Amino acid sequence: MIMRSRPGTGLSRRHFVTGLTGLGLSACTRAPAPFPASPLVDASAIPATATSRHTLTVDTRPWQIGSRIGRAFTVNGSAPAPTLRWREGDDMVLEVQNRLSEPTSIHWHGIRLPANMDGVPGISFGGVPAKGAFTYRFPVRQSGTYWYHSHSGMQEAQGLFGALVIDPISKPIHTYERDYVLVLSDWSDVAPHDIMSNLKQQDDYYNFRQRTVASLFGEAKEKGLGNALDDRLTWSRMRMAATDISDVSGVIYSYLINGEAPDSNWTGVFTPGERIRLRVINASAMTLFDFRIPGLTFSVISADGSDVDPVTVEEFRISPAETYDIIVQPTDGRAWTIFAQSEDRTGYARGTLAPKKGMKGAIPPMDPRPVRSMVDMGMGHMDMGHMHGSECGMSGMSGMSGMSGMSGMSGMSGMSGMSGMSSTDKPASTPKEAPPAPVIDDPGPPPKNVENQIVAVNPIDRLGEPGDGLEHNGRKVLTYAMLRALRPAPDQRPPSREIIMHLTGNMMRYIWGFDAKKFSESSPIHIKLNERVRITLINDTMMEHPIHLHGFWSELENGQGELRPNKHTILSQPGSKLSYLVTADTPGMWAFHCHLMYHMHLGMFRTVVVS
Ligand SMILES: [Cu+2]
């Protein structure tokens, strides 16, 4: 028997900025005024019953989080947008009213639907015009936890997103007494276009945590001054910072749970012994979060909306656009802190599970920030000693003749000879359950040009790794390799071909793309209707990229045989190679892109045409 959680009735602590008519009246120049609390109910609360008809009114207004006053895009007056509850099998009618003086759109992330209902302006429909309306109609044929967001401009980075909860048509497989959505986001009072232009001028604009002279002495103590200096020089010749983890950091971001800053402490109430389902959605623009509830283990029951064999862990990394459902069962009637550190450890989102509101648990210290290694550079498993983490033997690299050509990051003749290895050396550890497919769309290693700094010489399977900064932290952390679907995919045909995509970028110029091309320079990827293909991602950059294919399931080939987990967003770790199978069973034009907002806008985007 499932009891629904009591719907949230508390007033939101998000604050409208009522005294300003717009951002033209610069709030930054004066101390934040005590704005009255918003009259909204908690937009994150899951409605008591499912509804197949909604009117969603999009608007914009000044918005305050803590002392940061910016502009938010709202749905029915709230940011995040209200949580919608649907029922599998229903026919949805969703009318979007646009009160903005610019176009908007709603993309139903992870929902299988006709292409013209997918909501990507310029790809699948014309957008919702300024002051206009658009009605989405489609049947729901799936269940689980998803989300919806704008695909217009950068409205999504300013709050235009909300949770989607879809009840299964058949008997649920899990029981629980409480049900909460936890929408993680990154909020800034700096407008997205300003953030992006700052990044274009200087890629580490928001990364103030470069290794300092003081830390050099620390490293010198550990590994000798010569080695420490070598290490530094190698990295500086490569013009990269080993601590360069996130493009945008807690310097300008507040990290939120259900729109609440750490201080306002979103709280979900429970009675000791209850099973609590938490639907964790990362709706942030640029932030990977490491999520845990210190002191508790929990069961991961679903990934990207699809049920998985429950896995018990203490922590997981969640990238933008991914969702994980967990069940946690605290027996102690105390306050438990929900703690989601940003990957770069410049801040955290925080909430609480407690028997009553107002209780607070301890906030743990943040972990050390991750340090990129040669593995992240695509030199994994090469015979250069141990190369993981901060203790990696990079100093030995400085003498390599191939590497010395890298100093300017252009030309790089040493590297180009090595790059050929990526197309011929299949990592032995990559699990492949489906038989190999002929490679038709392999462009070969991308050129190193202005769009591309490096080519992963030896990309490796990193599906068994929890992610940079999470190794050896003493906790049991989820990996992609642990995800196992409950049943095999309906389509067991082997792929007819393999489409190899390199994720590429130029950190210095802040350009991102696939195969060393920006979107504007690319042509569409063609897939035949009902064709089954393997998509292989090779990450030539030193950053993670959450890659989202619209319209289809991405069945991750993670070593679980036929029980490949269905994902809609797949995090590609730096220097890694992974693959997934896709059945292209719905015709139309679909978006395929990195879900880091500024990577998408600066070129890591393709159109997929299924016909
Ligand atoms: Cu990206």
Side-chain angles (χ1 to χ4, degrees):
M1 175 75 187
I2 292 180
M3 289 155 54
R4 306 307 309 186
S5 64
R6 281 149 226 174
T9 50
L11 291 185
S12 169
R13 282 176 294 276
R14 286 180 298 280
H15 292 195
F16 282 139
V17 181
T18 52
L20 302 178
T21 51
L23 287 182
L25 223 176
S26 174
C28 307
T29 55
R30 56 184 191 183
F35 295 111
S38 149
L40 292 178
V41 295
D42 183 358
S44 68
I46 302 173
T49 53
T51 314
S52 60
R53 286 170 181 265
H54 297 277
T55 300
L56 305 174
T57 303
V58 177
D59 211 337
T60 180
R61 62 193 306 173
W63 202 261
Q64 179 176 9
I65 299 287
S67 59
R68 287 172 170 160
I69 301 172
R71 177 158 280 274
F73 290 92
T74 58
V75 172
N76 299 350
S78 121
T83 295
L84 305 183
R85 185 167 171 194
W86 299 353
R87 190 185 305 107
E88 185 182 9
D90 278 1
D91 292 319
M92 302 306 303
V93 180
L94 303 142
E95 187 186 346
V96 176
Q97 299 272 5
N98 183 6
R99 290 208 185 137
L100 304 174
S101 49
E102 65 185 78
T104 191
S105 56
I106 300 285
H107 164 58
W108 314 97
H109 190 111
I111 306 301
R112 306 282 325 275
L113 36 61
N116 61 352
M117 294 291 131
D118 192 47
V120 183
I123 305 281
S124 47
F125 84 139
V128 189
K131 309 292 179 193
F134 180 85
T135 301
Y136 293 85
R137 293 169 197 274
F138 53 86
V140 181
R141 299 287 180 264
Q142 63 199 94
S143 63
T145 302
Y146 302 88
W147 65 299
Y148 63 104
H149 61 85
S150 168
H151 229 291
S152 298
M154 300 200 211
Q155 295 165 358
E156 177 196 341
Q158 289 175 287
L160 216 173
F161 51 77
L164 273 184
V165 172
I166 310 178
D167 297 335
I169 206 164
S170 53
K171 188 172 173 287
I173 49 179
H174 298 284
T175 58
Y176 44 89
E177 288 78 42
R178 302 274 176 174
D179 193 357
Y180 292 112
V181 295
L182 296 179
V183 180
L184 306 175
S185 66
D186 46 15
W187 163 263
S188 182
D189 50 0
V190 182
H193 285 93
D194 293 336
I195 297 176
M196 192 162 72
S197 67
N198 289 338
L199 287 168
K200 287 230 46 112
Q201 282 160 31
Q202 192 185 339
D203 67 284
D204 58 355
Y205 192 92
Y206 295 112
N207 183 346
F208 297 166
R209 302 185 65 170
Q210 311 292 346
R211 285 189 276 182
T212 59
V213 174
S215 74
L216 176 65
F217 288 117
E219 286 167 48
K221 235 197 226 162
E222 268 173 43
K223 48 187 166 187
L225 184 61
N227 283 340
L229 272 173
D230 260 7
D231 180 303
R232 297 271 179 123
L233 287 172
T234 305
W235 283 107
S236 68
R237 273 196 221 109
M238 293 183 208
R239 301 254 195 103
M240 290 171 188
T243 53
D244 208 352
I245 302 298
S246 304
D247 298 336
V248 194
S249 70
V251 173
I252 59 158
Y253 274 147
S254 298
Y255 301 112
L256 312 181
I257 291 182
N258 294 336
E260 305 276 7
D263 284 350
S264 50
N265 191 23
W266 179 90
T267 299
V269 290
F270 73 98
T271 303
E274 283 180 333
R275 288 162 59 85
I276 309 166
R277 181 177 190 152
L278 299 174
R279 303 168 184 265
V280 187
I281 300 164
N282 188 350
S284 64
M286 291 297 288
T287 308
L288 281 71
F289 286 104
D290 294 329
F291 180 100
R292 64 193 157 106
I293 306 174
L296 293 178
T297 58
F298 48 78
S299 197
V300 176
I301 58 166
S302 167
D304 286 5
S306 293
D307 294 325
V308 293
D309 232 359
V311 194
T312 301
V313 295
E314 293 163 88
E315 184 169 21
F316 57 82
R317 172 161 292 175
I318 183 167
S319 70
E322 288 187 300
T323 74
Y324 285 109
D325 288 30
I326 64 174
I327 287 185
V328 63
Q329 190 172 21
T331 48
D332 263 13
R334 65 172 177 93
W336 300 91
T337 297
I338 298 166
F339 188 67
Q341 320 175 72
S342 67
E343 185 199 11
D344 67 359
R345 315 298 186 230
T346 58
Y348 55 83
R350 172 257 196 155
T352 298
L353 295 175
K356 60 178 196 292
K357 301 227 181 205
M359 293 176 72
K360 287 177 187 166
I363 298 176
M366 281 194 284
D367 289 335
R369 67 182 182 273
V371 177
R372 299 295 193 199
S373 72
M374 299 310 283
V375 169
D376 299 303
M377 279 207 63
M379 298 183 187
H381 295 178
M382 293 180 74
D383 191 16
M384 297 169 191
H386 303 288
M387 295 206 170
H388 273 275
S390 53
E391 73 281 1
C392 75
M394 280 178 46
S395 51
M397 300 291 297
S398 56
M400 287 177 57
S401 56
M403 295 293 285
S404 55
M406 294 181 63
S407 52
M409 297 315 296
S410 55
M412 300 203 306
S413 54
M415 289 294 285
S416 56
M418 296 163 80
S419 65
M421 290 165 66
S422 66
S423 59
T424 51
D425 283 16
K426 289 220 157 45
S429 52
T430 299
K432 288 277 187 264
E433 296 76 38
V439 177
I440 296 174
D441 288 333
D442 180 7
K448 282 178 296 300
N449 55 23
V450 72
E451 313 288 358
N452 190 27
Q453 277 181 312
I454 51 174
V455 169
V457 173
N458 196 34
I460 59 167
D461 173 9
R462 299 188 71 179
L463 298 179
E465 298 179 30
D468 286 349
L470 291 175
E471 301 267 15
H472 318 300
N473 66 8
R475 303 186 288 266
K476 187 175 179 199
V477 190
L478 185 76
T479 69
Y480 270 1
M482 294 175 187
L483 299 173
R484 179 164 57 225
L486 292 187
R487 57 197 79 82
D491 189 352
Q492 287 295 328
R493 290 176 297 162
S496 59
R497 63 189 167 112
E498 178 176 15
I499 299 170
I500 296 176
M501 308 281 288
H502 284 256
L503 315 183
T504 53
N506 181 327
M507 288 287 277
M508 295 302 287
R509 297 169 62 98
Y510 210 74
I511 298 169
W512 301 96
F514 291 107
D515 298 327
K517 282 183 183 150
K518 288 184 288 192
F519 178 55
S520 55
E521 305 158 335
S522 72
S523 47
I525 299 164
H526 289 271
I527 303 179
K528 280 201 219 62
L529 183 60
N530 291 321
E531 189 180 358
R532 184 127 163 110
V533 295
R534 168 177 290 133
I535 295 178
T536 295
L537 301 180
I538 296 171
N539 189 340
D540 287 344
T541 79
M542 291 202 44
M543 294 193 72
E544 294 85 358
H545 301 278
I547 303 296
H548 173 40
L549 171 63
H550 287 228
F552 307 99
W553 288 122
S554 299
E555 299 169 29
L556 182 64
E557 296 188 287
N558 67 341
Q560 296 287 0
E562 291 186 342
L563 298 173
R564 290 177 289 273
N566 277 341
K567 300 271 294 161
H568 49 60
T569 306
I570 291 184
L571 184 67
S572 163
Q573 296 194 44
S576 77
K577 177 175 181 174
L578 59 77
S579 64
Y580 48 97
L581 302 180
V582 174
T583 297
D585 56 3
T586 316
M589 285 172 60
W590 300 96
F592 176 73
H593 63 90
C594 177
H595 225 283
L596 297 178
M597 173 70 55
Y598 304 115
H599 293 191
M600 174 177 82
H601 272 269
L602 293 170
M604 205 176 259
F605 191 106
R606 283 293 182 276
T607 305
V608 170
V609 179
V610 175
S611 61

